[in-house]
Amino acid sequence: MNPRPLPRLAIWLVERFLPKADRDAIVGDLIEECALPARASTRPMTALWCWGQVARSIPLLLWSHHRHRDWLGTLGVAIAAYVVTSVIEALGVAVLSRLLRPDAGFALVLAAIVGLGSMMLGGYAAASIRQGAAPALATIILLVVLVLFVTMPNSVPLWYGLTFLIAGPVAAVAGGWLNLIRRAHRPA
Amino acid sequence: MPRGDLLGSLEHIVLLALVRLQANAYGMTIRREIEERTGRNLSIGAVYATLDRLESKGYVSSSLGAPTAARGGRAKRLFRIETDGSQALDASQDAIRKMTVGLPKGWRTA
């Protein structure tokens, strides 16, 4: 029985996203099943089946893992990352306000760049401590910005608030992705 | 097993697959056994999520097998049913049997 090669990206996703306890066994199971005569029809069909399995399995196992084991830890890491992100952002804005006139539009643009940069950094740091913490951080950012939008609608220009509402969570997730990519290219 | 803690349908089916497969019960064989017998095309993730849940309840235990070339050098995670799992399975089977006793013919299609 020769193992039929599975799509490399699918294996990469399983190895990056699934808990350690399951990932090797699951990749091995997929390789073994794809090599069975009943399953190994044509290469595209095998790849399609494998992708179906991976797409259905990752969300389930991630949910199961976080629900049963360490969702509290993941939330703790995300909250800590949010605190650090806020401190970095506040320091950056304080420095900018000393250097530029606070009412200048340019100062707000720079403040947004500093804020989004710190959120990306927060996502990166959170993912380096615990996979899954970056999406949790993104959720926290989204909730906080929404609350600020509702409770203090006129404290900042609309474009500024919308930027953080949309790009803030995206920056945190992007930071997490950067961490995953760095891990993938790190020698074993 | 505490009273009232009956197995979910997938837990029930997975435990029955473990009983059938005995020493050869691991993710791929369990998934295929269920597919062949019930026609349910489960994802491997659903099988592992169920097994992890059963393991956290103490109903099954797992151990790693040796890596093989047929699996791209990856080890199998072998599962076996524990005494608590057997009792839970018996209790669930018993509950279903009791609930179906005396039902009129054709109740499935009614």
Side-chain angles (χ1 to χ4, degrees):
Chain A
M1 188 165 63
N2 295 318
R4 184 178 283 274
L6 297 179
R8 291 181 66 171
L9 180 61
I11 293 179
W12 184 84
L13 283 173
V14 170
E15 288 178 336
R16 292 303 129 205
F17 283 101
L18 291 193
K20 273 183 193 165
D22 291 333
R23 68 174 73 133
D24 251 20
I26 288 181
V27 172
D29 287 342
L30 289 174
I31 291 172
E32 195 177 345
E33 184 154 6
C34 284
L36 293 176
R39 186 68 65 196
S41 48
T42 61
R43 198 176 176 129
M45 288 304 289
T46 307
L48 190 68
W49 180 84
C50 176
W51 270 113
Q53 285 287 326
V54 170
R56 289 160 65 199
S57 296
I58 286 178
L60 260 177
L61 283 167
L62 274 181
W63 170 245
S64 164
H65 183 68
H66 289 295
R67 190 177 59 163
H68 289 290
R69 293 187 182 117
D70 54 0
W71 66 269
L72 207 59
T74 302
L75 186 65
V77 170
I79 290 172
Y82 179 76
V83 171
V84 172
T85 298
S86 302
V87 169
I88 293 172
E89 185 188 351
L91 286 174
V93 171
V95 169
L96 281 176
S97 65
R98 281 184 171 267
L99 297 176
L100 301 164
R101 267 185 29 233
D103 56 335
F106 185 61
L108 271 181
V109 172
L110 278 180
I113 291 170
V114 168
L116 293 177
S118 65
M119 285 169 189
M120 186 180 273
L121 194 67
Y124 185 91
S128 69
I129 298 168
R130 192 169 294 225
Q131 287 181 29
L137 172 64
T139 308
I140 292 172
I141 291 169
L142 183 71
L143 291 174
V144 169
V145 177
L146 271 176
V147 168
L148 289 176
F149 242 120
V150 172
T151 54
M152 294 187 280
N154 300 318
S155 60
V156 289
L158 183 64
W159 69 265
Y160 190 83
L162 283 176
T163 300
F164 276 94
L165 185 67
I166 297 163
V170 171
V173 172
W177 268 103
L178 284 177
N179 183 272
L180 283 178
I181 290 166
R182 190 187 65 87
R183 281 190 203 199
H185 289 97
R186 193 168 50 190
Chain B
M1 187 175 72
R3 274 178 177 273
D5 187 14
L6 291 175
L7 298 168
S9 68
L10 196 52
E11 291 177 334
H12 197 143
I13 289 170
V14 166
L15 283 180
L16 286 171
L18 291 192
V19 174
R20 287 187 166 277
L21 291 162
Q22 295 288 317
N24 193 33
Y26 59 98
M28 190 273 278
T29 53
I30 296 167
R31 204 200 73 74
R32 287 188 65 80
E33 180 77 11
I34 294 170
E35 184 173 308
E36 283 170 12
R37 292 194 173 271
T38 69
R40 287 179 73 171
N41 178 19
L42 293 176
S43 71
I44 193 77
V47 172
Y48 273 90
T50 308
L51 286 164
D52 285 344
R53 195 162 59 244
L54 290 169
E55 193 167 31
S56 70
K57 290 179 181 176
Y59 292 172
V60 305
S61 59
S62 66
S63 58
L64 285 182
T68 61
R71 296 171 55 82
R74 320 272 176 158
K76 290 174 186 171
R77 190 171 161 204
L78 294 156
F79 291 88
R80 53 170 286 183
I81 189 164
E82 293 296 327
T83 309
D84 282 356
S86 294
Q87 287 172 355
L89 189 56
D90 282 346
S92 257
Q93 293 271 87
D94 197 39
I96 290 171
R97 206 165 27 242
K98 284 174 180 167
M99 288 303 292
T100 49
V101 166
L103 284 175
K105 277 189 176 179
W107 61 274
R108 285 184 184 84
T109 55

